[in-house]
Amino acid sequence: MLGKIHLLVGDLDKAMEIYKKAVEFSPENTELLTTLGLLYLQVGIYQKAFEHLGNALTYDPINYKAILAAGSMMQTHGDFDVALTKYRVVASAVPESPPLWNNIGMCFFGKKKYVAAISCLKRANYLAPFDWKILYNLGLVHLTMQQYASAFHFLSAAINFQPKMGELYMLLAGKERSQMKNLS
């Protein structure tokens, strides 16, 4: 509970210390292992994250949070097929997970299968219509496919939820520049 309180306050370092001690006390607790793995993933310590997520999966091979995080790590390193295999396991356990469908969509985007990416991202958007990351990804895929009106729609919606994120404006401006280039 103390670790959760530190997370709510936003103190990742203290939360990690608490979870490390908790894992030492209870090394087979998959919830603790998964949470610590996710914290390591969040701060960019991938080796420790992979180690703790792997340990969680050793004790509970169908722990969907750990599988989703492991798939995300594979995806980050460009191994889209392995990530999709991991996500298939999660989809059978939690088929209505917006982060799952977002990640599947971005795997297809990485494989340059844009129609499949849009399909998965639209499902994620249906499940979580106010998630700016999903809107951002939809805008990015539509921009890549040169579907500028759709890209504008999704990027504008993402900007409404994250008005201080400069990258959204950059993509929107890139869309405008690309569209103007096509007109000349």
Side-chain angles (χ1 to χ4, degrees), residues 11-61:
D11 191 352
L12 292 179
D13 292 332
K14 286 193 179 182
M16 285 176 65
E17 287 179 34
I18 298 296
Y19 278 104
K20 283 181 201 174
K21 289 178 184 174
V23 166
E24 287 175 15
F25 181 72
S26 181
E28 295 181 9
N29 185 319
T30 57
E31 184 180 338
L32 295 174
L33 287 165
T34 302
T35 302
L36 187 56
L38 290 171
L39 287 172
Y40 278 126
L41 188 62
Q42 196 171 351
V43 297
I45 305 173
Y46 298 111
Q47 184 61 39
K48 290 262 189 192
F50 197 74
E51 180 183 320
H52 285 85
L53 293 170
N55 287 340
L57 289 171
T58 299
Y59 296 115
D60 182 10

Side-chain angles (χ1 to χ4, degrees), residues 64 87-102 104 120 123-124 126-127:
Y64 74 90
Y87 295 148
R88 185 177 298 130
V89 174
V90 176
S92 65
V94 190
E96 303 299 317
S97 168
L100 169 68
W101 289 104
N102 180 65
I104 292 172
C120 293
R123 182 167 182 176
Y126 173 78
L127 295 169

Side-chain angles (χ1 to χ4, degrees), residues 98-99 102 124-125 127-138 157-158 161-162:
N102 180 65
N125 184 239
L127 295 169
F130 303 117
D131 188 332
W132 72 271
K133 291 177 187 174
I134 296 169
L135 294 166
Y136 168 90
N137 289 338
L138 273 163
F161 293 114
Q162 286 290 331

